[in-house]
Amino acid sequence: MPFLKSRGSRTILAALAAQLDDVLSEVRTIIERSGHLDGDSAIEAGDQGIADYKRLRELVGTVDEIRRAQRSVYAETGDMGVLASLYREGHDQFRGVRPEPLPADVMAVVKGGRRDVRFLLYMAESGRAWLPVDVEELTDEARDAEDVGSPDDGRNPFWQRETTVPEPSAPRRSRI
C-alpha cells in the first residue's frame, strides 16, 4: 500500500526529521542545564531559567511547524484514511505506540490538543519521538492501524454521520 508517491517526499521528510532531531537535542541540553522547567520553576531558577523556558516555548512553535510540514507532505502524497488513523494513534510522532501506549496527557495532545513545554520535554526524554522518512518506516511502525476511510471514499463515518434535528417545541403563550 504505497502512501508516499512523490519522489521528493523522502528528501523533504528526511530534512524535517533532521530539524526535529536538532530541536530535541537542544531541549535535552536545556534539561541538563536547568531541569524540567515550568513557569514557576523558571522564575525560581533566575535569569537562566527564564531564558531557557522562553526558548522551550519557542521550540514548541518550531515543533508545530515541523509537524505541519510533515503532515502537509503526507496529505499531498498519501491515503488520507490511513493517515487519519495513524495521526489519531500518534504513529507519525512516536515509535512503539502499539506495544507501549503513550501517557494520557501526551495522547490528549496527539489527538488534537496543543503542544506545550511538558509535551516537548516528554518528546526529548522518551527516546520515542520520530519523524518517519519513508513508507516502509511508517507502515512497519503502524502495521495494525485501522483504515478509517477518507472523505471521498464513502467509508469515513465522520463525514457521513447523520444528525437528527429535533422538532422545535410549540410556542408557549405569555400571560402578560
Side-chain angles (χ1 to χ4, degrees):
M1 157 172 51
F3 291 29
L4 303 178
K5 302 168 188 157
S6 169
R7 287 186 197 176
S9 60
R10 181 176 171 76
T11 303
I12 294 166
L13 293 168
L16 292 170
Q19 289 176 5
L20 182 63
D21 288 344
D22 291 346
V23 167
L24 297 178
S25 178
E26 185 175 349
V27 171
R28 286 187 287 273
T29 299
I30 291 172
I31 292 170
E32 288 173 13
R33 180 176 51 237
S34 297
H36 286 232
L37 294 171
D38 60 21
D40 292 336
S41 63
I43 292 168
E44 291 171 7
D47 291 342
Q48 184 63 56
I50 292 169
D52 283 344
Y53 186 71
K54 284 181 180 178
R55 181 63 182 146
L56 288 171
R57 291 182 64 195
E58 291 170 2
L59 292 172
V60 167
T62 302
V63 170
D64 286 343
E65 291 171 12
I66 291 169
R67 293 301 188 186
R68 265 193 301 278
Q70 171 192 7
R71 287 187 175 190
S72 175
V73 172
Y74 290 158
E76 292 297 319
T77 59
D79 177 324
M80 290 307 295
V82 173
L83 291 174
S85 177
L86 298 177
Y87 297 161
R88 186 178 64 242
E89 295 183 19
H91 292 290
D92 62 322
Q93 297 185 57
F94 294 97
R95 294 180 191 267
V97 172
R98 285 270 188 230
E100 185 182 337
L102 297 168
D105 59 335
V106 172
M107 277 308 296
V109 173
V110 165
K111 290 184 177 192
R114 292 188 61 147
R115 288 181 189 87
D116 58 15
V117 169
R118 275 189 337 189
F119 184 84
L120 187 62
L121 296 175
Y122 177 82
M123 284 181 68
E125 289 190 313
S126 71
R128 298 173 67 186
W130 79 321
L131 196 153
V133 298
D134 63 31
V135 68
E136 288 79 22
E137 279 187 317
L138 189 57
T139 56
D140 284 351
E141 173 62 29
R143 63 184 148 278
D144 297 327
E146 172 189 352
D147 182 350
V148 297
S150 58
D152 60 352
D153 70 6
R155 293 181 295 173
N156 188 329
F158 301 108
W159 291 89
Q160 295 187 355
R161 184 174 292 153
E162 290 184 25
T163 303
T164 304
V165 178
E167 291 292 323
S169 57
R172 296 199 293 175
R173 294 185 141 215
S174 172
R175 294 184 180 190
I176 300 180

